[in-house]
Amino acid sequence: MILFRSVSAFSNWRNRLPSEGSFVSFIPTMGALHEGHLSLVRRGKLKNHQVVVSIFVNPTQFNDPKDFQHYPITIAQDLTLLHGLADVVLLPSVEEMYPDGLPATDRYQLQGLEEVFEGAFRPGHFQGVCQVMNRLLNIVQPHRLIMGQKDFQQCMVVRALLEQRGDQNLVLEIAETIREESGLAMSSRNKRLSEEEKIAAATIWRTMVSMQKKITAFQIENPQATEGQQADQVKVWEGEAVDALKRAGFSSVDYFRPAEKKYLANWDMHQPSVVLCAATLGTVRLIDNLPLS
Ligand code: AMP
């Protein structure tokens, strides 16, 4: 495994890779790695593929300075975990990623995705995601970009970014969410939960599964439901989910409802959909989702 602490050294390596017959699988991360990240890294390893992992806690995607300050940093442990799985690890500095300083000023057109769900609760977050992703893609020049469905909306945002960039030879692969046995989605932020809170946090999973069942039953029983009836039903489901999470000890629930899958527009029972959730337990804000078949 080669470790590059500077973009220029990495670029030397990248430019020397033959343009034919060798490929790059890229897994961008913010470190504090867990089994969810490692599942993406393992997926990267195909014949003739170099697996590149970046670790960079991107300041421009944190709308809450406290969240940025408290973001766990475990580089030594991360490198140990990556040994034998990644071919190359890139640890760029903020100065190299943002040579023109902060805040970055580039802006991206996200087709409504930044106004809903996470976008509504974390202003500027997805612009920050696009800023860093655009720079990383220019540096790494991957053939495959592997991201976790855990951050469902982020995947849709990055898909919109890739459409804008018009990358010809780049495939976005979205990998399934890795969960604890309890159903709790693995997340770097789980490190800040107590053992008791981790048990309570699994309520998110159970509530998503329960909502999925209610949605399926509603679709079977009400095949002719109007837009208005569907919207009313979503409110009922959301109310029930919020109650379940509050009973489990969550202090607030930002959203817990189904949406149309591609732009996260209002739920429409005839379109592919996904249940999305964000809720706070103690000092930790957790997000999760469940795509519906
Ligand atoms: P992060 O370090 O949080 O920026 O995450 C880096 C990548 O790992 C993103 O593509 C995430 O969606 C993905 N990821 C995070 N948690 C999980 C998980 N539990 N299962 C699968 N992928 C994950």
Side-chain angles (χ1 to χ4, degrees):
M1 186 172 89
I2 317 174
L3 172 62
F4 291 109
R5 290 184 185 272
S6 89
V7 170
S8 55
F10 173 86
S11 297
N12 269 336
W13 170 84
R14 179 67 186 90
N15 292 336
R16 273 197 247 114
L17 270 190
S19 54
E20 290 202 10
S22 68
F23 303 93
V24 172
S25 295
F26 178 40
I27 299 98
T29 80
M30 297 204 297
L33 302 182
H34 50 68
E35 197 45 46
H37 296 110
L38 300 182
S39 72
L40 306 184
V41 181
R42 282 192 201 98
R43 198 182 165 119
K45 197 66 203 161
L46 295 181
K47 197 163 178 270
N48 300 332
H49 276 249
Q50 298 288 323
V51 180
V52 175
V53 176
S54 64
I55 301 179
F56 180 65
V57 184
N58 173 37
T60 73
Q61 72 187 69
F62 286 83
N63 52 309
D64 175 359
K66 274 201 214 115
D67 191 23
F68 181 52
Q69 273 162 22
H70 293 143
Y71 202 82
I73 299 200
T74 58
I75 297 288
Q77 191 188 319
D78 293 348
L79 294 177
T80 306
L81 289 171
L82 289 171
H83 252 284
L85 296 181
D87 296 303
V88 169
V89 179
L90 171 63
L91 297 177
S93 65
V94 173
E95 291 72 24
E96 276 182 302
M97 292 302 289
Y98 295 101
D100 298 327
L102 296 171
T105 51
D106 37 334
R107 289 279 168 273
Y108 300 84
Q109 173 47 252
L110 298 177
Q111 302 162 8
L113 277 166
E114 65 180 321
E115 275 107 59
V116 293
F117 293 95
E118 281 305 274
F121 284 91
R122 301 185 63 188
H125 169 65
F126 287 125
Q127 288 296 332
V129 167
C130 288
Q131 285 162 353
V132 75
M133 192 58 83
N134 198 38
R135 287 162 165 77
L136 286 169
L137 292 175
N138 289 343
I139 295 165
V140 177
Q141 301 167 53
H143 301 84
R144 291 164 79 210
L145 173 61
I146 306 177
M147 301 188 70
Q149 184 181 277
K150 159 76 169 53
D151 298 281
F152 188 87
Q153 190 168 3
Q154 172 169 272
C155 291
M156 298 303 114
V157 162
V158 169
R159 179 171 285 164
L161 171 70
L162 297 186
E163 276 169 23
Q164 269 173 62
R165 285 173 51 96
D167 291 295
Q168 292 301 315
N169 298 315
L170 174 58
V171 176
L172 171 63
E173 278 188 35
I174 301 176
E176 67 167 328
T177 302
I178 304 298
R179 300 179 178 280
E180 306 281 356
E181 231 168 87
S182 65
L184 173 64
M186 291 192 185
S187 164
S188 307
R189 290 187 169 86
N190 295 355
K191 291 190 167 68
R192 290 166 46 203
L193 294 173
S194 67
E195 285 312 308
E196 207 179 305
E197 284 172 332
K198 276 188 192 154
I199 294 168
T203 310
I204 290 184
W205 168 248
R206 288 193 296 276
T207 309
M208 288 196 306
V209 171
S210 150
M211 190 177 280
Q212 178 181 35
K213 286 188 188 139
K214 292 179 199 173
I215 291 171
T216 307
F218 178 83
Q219 285 170 319
I220 293 168
E221 287 158 22
N222 303 279
Q224 311 292 350
T226 62
E227 239 177 69
Q229 286 167 330
Q230 293 181 53
D232 288 345
Q233 196 53 56
V234 166
K235 281 189 199 132
V236 173
W237 291 329
E238 185 159 40
E240 291 167 353
V242 171
D243 288 346
L245 263 61
K246 290 267 173 81
R247 279 198 302 276
F250 281 78
S251 55
S252 64
V253 181
D254 289 344
Y255 53 81
F256 203 134
R257 61 178 189 278
E260 170 278 330
K261 224 170 173 179
K262 193 163 180 203
Y263 299 107
L264 308 189
N266 288 344
W267 182 65
D268 171 348
M269 62 192 266
H270 304 294
Q271 302 274 342
S273 44
V274 55
V275 171
L276 297 153
C277 157
T280 302
L281 184 62
T283 57
V284 186
R285 185 170 179 278
L286 298 168
I287 62 168
D288 203 346
N289 67 83
L290 182 61
L292 306 177
S293 47

